[in-house]
Amino acid sequence: MMTVEQDGPRVAEYLIVAGLSETSRSLEEGLQNDSHLKASSTPNEPITDVAVILRGHGEKVPAGFTCIETTPTGFPADLSHGCIGSPNIYLCIKRGFDKPPLTDIG
């Protein structure tokens, strides 16, 4: 058996394979079967405006905007989620064909 001095420093001594059971699905299969992650069959109007509101301070969703309250996987979309003492901050979007779509946010 070789010692560390002979072999050099090691990152790990052992390799463990863990996490998959006999009923586990592959990542690719899981993504294909999760309908909430699939693209909509009907295209949405492009996003033309973005607003950030502090619902914790009583701000309302601006007229014509839609507040994004949950992620596609159902988690809270509160931008300050998990921050103690922070107000609820949400992203709002406006869609339409009345002006060019947003292509960059700087």
Side-chain angles (χ1 to χ4, degrees):
M1 181 171 167
M2 300 186 112
T3 64
V4 174
E5 291 81 26
Q6 294 170 336
D7 238 8
R10 297 182 187 161
V11 175
E13 284 286 329
Y14 302 98
L15 173 67
I16 299 172
V17 178
L20 296 177
S21 68
E22 293 178 10
T23 59
S24 295
R25 298 183 300 170
S26 70
L27 180 60
E28 292 81 15
E29 180 185 337
L31 290 175
Q32 289 172 355
N33 294 333
D34 290 338
S35 61
H36 61 272
L37 298 176
K38 291 182 181 176
S40 173
S41 60
T42 58
N44 289 326
E45 296 175 326
I47 297 172
T48 57
D49 283 306
V50 176
V52 176
I53 61 169
L54 284 83
R55 279 205 167 161
H57 287 272
E59 292 184 5
K60 304 287 183 203
V61 178
F65 282 75
T66 302
C67 183
I68 301 173
E69 296 181 4
T70 58
T71 66
T73 54
F75 291 102
D78 178 4
L79 299 176
S80 64
H81 182 72
C83 297
I84 298 172
S86 295
N88 298 37
I89 303 172
Y90 288 93
L91 185 67
C92 299
I93 59 171
K94 185 175 184 180
R95 295 180 177 273
F97 293 106
D98 56 330
K99 62 187 200 177
L102 291 178
T103 57
D104 189 23
I105 298 176

